[in-house]
């Protein structure tokens, strides 16, 4: 759907009674193939074309979406949106991005689209290679399979404030899951990687081998007595420790007053030297974009600068409610109001690798998997189920399981020490993180 057609939708919405409107067209194609035990298990193909429309009638608004993009389908969509807006309650903060905050063409080229479209046979070969490598790992006894995928998406946003922007991106992924051991002693290990360009993926063989290695390493875990000890969160999952931070500094949470950081803007949250960057302009980044989902220009910024919290993450609505300006972090689908999200989030590395962090800690817990986190958003009290490895004198003594780690995030963040082993794996990344003492609940 081209820009002119979306402009026609906006014009028709204005004629139908809308004071302002924005229209989105989204198109997606995807192909995924999975294998298990050397046999083809599933081939899935998806193609979709959808249109979304948000209209404003005074301070009332409504958002609708549909997959019928014919002239008749668009007319019904417009009528329904305007009728819904007239019945909606007034919202003094809902609005389109003002013209002065909109991104302007030409937009920065971020190299997010690889035109390669692999065949199902090519994806099957990658999935097989990953699974074969996982099954070949000594100690692996079974497989949960291997998979490979491709996708391509187009997102075009046009608003009655004069914005028009096109975002195109591709995605490639390979994963494998291995099982080691027998019966009640079975352990699973998985590895998967995603990239914008096919050439940026690690080899399927290396992905499968890593899955097998992770499964075997978990064999014969023991339980721990409850204690307090240093805890290291491995780089593969350490960013999960920062996920509550992102929710706590989101504009909507601050506007509702439901954040444990609501009074901490401009204050020291982390130790000096800790920096958390959000960069929307990383070439080929999984979170890269020149503009957000409301058309506001994105910009790189340090959310945490030398340990200090510098900003809230805001869309137009939360910015208006707080008397501030959008930070270009609006995130939305075709239907429903905008939320907020980061782009390419990266906690900058420290000086010591994982072995160095373990040596500094002496004796403690290395967390390699986490599940079932619990958070009190008002206080920052946090706990999570986990498993990993116990270490003494900086050296692993073997796997441990059925553990809960708990603490208050304000306290945890203040004592957090980043390692040097940063690895860019997705849109949010962190090196391993050491906290000098946390409550560990075991047997």
């Amino acid at each position: 759907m081209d820009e002119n057609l979306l402009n026609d939708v906006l014009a028709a919405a204005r004629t139908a009674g809308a004071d302002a409107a924005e229209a989105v067209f989204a198109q997606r194609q995807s192909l995924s193939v999975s294998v298990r035990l050397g046999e083809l298990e599933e081939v899935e193909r998806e193609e979709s074309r959808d249109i979304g429309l948000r209209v404003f009638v005074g301070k009332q608004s409504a958002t609708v979406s549909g997959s019928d993009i014919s002239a008749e389908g668009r007319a019904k969509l417009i009528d329904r949106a305007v009728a819904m807006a007239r019945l909606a309650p007034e919202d003094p903060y809902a609005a389109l991005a003002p013209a002065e905050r909109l991104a302007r063409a030409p937009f920065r080229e971020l190299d997010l689209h690889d035109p390669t479209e692999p065949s199902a046979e090519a994806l099957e070969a990658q999935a097989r290679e990953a699974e074969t490598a996982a099954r070949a790992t000594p100690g692996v006894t079974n497989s949960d399979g291997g998979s490979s995928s491709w996708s391509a998406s187009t997102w075009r946003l046009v608003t009655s404030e004069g914005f028009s922007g096109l975002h195109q991106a591709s995605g490639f992924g390979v994963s494998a899951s291995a099982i080691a051991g027998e019966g009640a002693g079975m352990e699973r290990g998985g590895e998967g990687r995603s990239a914008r360009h096919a050439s940026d993926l690690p080899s399927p063989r290396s992905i499968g081998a890593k899955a097998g290695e992770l499964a075997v390493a978990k064999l014969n875990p023991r339980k721990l007595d409850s204690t307090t000890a240093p805890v290291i969160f491995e780089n593969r999952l350490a960013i999960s420790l920062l996920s509550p931070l992102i929710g706590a500094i989101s504009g909507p949470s601050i506007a509702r007053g439901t954040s444990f950081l609501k009074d901490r803007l401009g204050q020291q949250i982390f130790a000096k030297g800790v920096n958390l960057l959000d960069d929307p302009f990383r070439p080929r980044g999984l979170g890269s974009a020149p503009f957000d989902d409301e058309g506001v220009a994105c910009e790189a910024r340090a959310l945490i600068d030398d340990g200090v919290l510098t900003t809230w993450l805001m869309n137009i609505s939360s910015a208006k409610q707080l008397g501030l300006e959008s930070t270009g972090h609006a995130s939305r689908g075709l239907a429903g109001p905008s939320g907020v999200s980061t782009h390419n989030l990266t906690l900058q590395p420290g000086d010591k690798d994982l072995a160095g962090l373990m040596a500094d800690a002496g004796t403690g817990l290395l967390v390699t998997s986490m599940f079932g986190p619990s958070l009190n958003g008002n206080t920052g009290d946090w706990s999570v189920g986990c498993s990993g490895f116990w270490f003494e004198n900086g050296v692993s003594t073997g796997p441990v399981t059925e553990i809960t780690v708990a603490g208050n995030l304000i306290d945890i963040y203040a004592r957090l020490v980043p390692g040097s082993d940063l690895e860019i794996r997705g849109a949010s990344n962190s090196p391993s993180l050491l906290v000098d003492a946390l409550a560990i609940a075991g047997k």
Side-chain angles (χ1 to χ4, degrees), residues 122-142:
L123 294 181
E124 182 182 352
Q126 289 184 326
R128 286 183 183 279
E129 184 179 350
E131 191 201 29
T132 298
R135 295 175 67 194
T137 305
V140 168
T141 55
N142 206 335

Side-chain angles (χ1 to χ4, degrees), residues 82-130:
V82 173
M84 288 172 60
R86 286 177 171 147
L87 294 173
E90 290 192 354
D91 181 351
Y93 306 115
L96 295 180
E100 65 271 15
R101 296 288 291 127
L102 295 172
R104 298 297 178 188
F107 302 117
R108 188 179 301 208
E109 172 51 51
L110 301 174
D111 196 17
L112 304 180
H113 184 252
D114 181 344
T116 305
E117 183 177 342
S119 64
E121 291 77 14
L123 294 181
E124 182 182 352
Q126 289 184 326
R128 286 183 183 279
E129 184 179 350

Side-chain angles (χ1 to χ4, degrees), residues 253-276:
S253 294
I254 300 302
R256 290 193 302 267
T258 57
S259 166
F260 63 93
L261 295 176
K262 62 185 178 184
D263 300 318
R264 304 298 292 269
L265 185 63
Q267 296 184 22
Q268 195 85 32
I269 302 296
F270 293 80
K272 286 185 176 297
V274 175
N275 297 286
L276 180 62

Side-chain angles (χ1 to χ4, degrees), residues 277-293:
L277 307 184
D278 188 38
D279 181 9
F281 304 133
R282 179 184 296 154
R284 301 189 178 187
L286 290 174
S288 296
F291 53 86
D292 74 0
D293 289 352

